Amino acid sequence: PTPELKPVLPPPPEPKLAQAVLVSGVVQIGSRPQAIIKVPSEPTSRYVQAGQRLASGLLVKRIEMNEGSEPVVILEQYGIEVARIV
């Protein structure tokens, strides 16, 4: 008898770069919020807006500014959303 073979999928990629991004602040310029971020692979921090692509395909999905709470920057890597709090 032949052994029963089952397909084995590799583990999904981890959004390590998105988890390593440092968000140091969020500012409102006009009607659009912008986040001040530092990507580990880049030498300096910079301003970014929602919809902007960063290093290694990292996407700034949205910037949430809710009254009474800390702003949250949602990044997306490999289709996985990662929330970074200021």
Side-chain angles (χ1 to χ4, degrees):
T2 59
E4 194 172 314
L5 298 176
K6 295 182 181 179
V8 178
L9 296 174
E14 291 289 320
K16 292 181 182 177
L17 181 62
Q19 294 168 343
V21 169
L22 174 67
V23 179
S24 57
V26 173
V27 295
Q28 186 85 20
I29 299 177
S31 62
R32 300 195 66 169
Q34 293 190 1
I36 306 165
I37 65 158
K38 169 75 173 74
V39 179
S41 60
E42 297 178 358
T44 60
S45 59
R46 61 180 169 141
Y47 287 87
V48 295
Q49 297 180 18
Q52 191 171 344
R53 287 241 177 233
L54 307 175
S56 303
L58 196 60
L59 172 67
V60 179
K61 187 108 181 215
R62 63 186 176 277
I63 300 171
E64 298 175 351
M65 296 181 65
N66 301 322
E67 271 189 50
S69 67
E70 294 290 325
V72 178
V73 178
I74 308 297
L75 303 170
E76 183 179 88
Q77 184 179 18
Y78 306 125
I80 302 168
E81 289 188 1
V82 176
R84 304 299 298 155
I85 298 173
V86 175

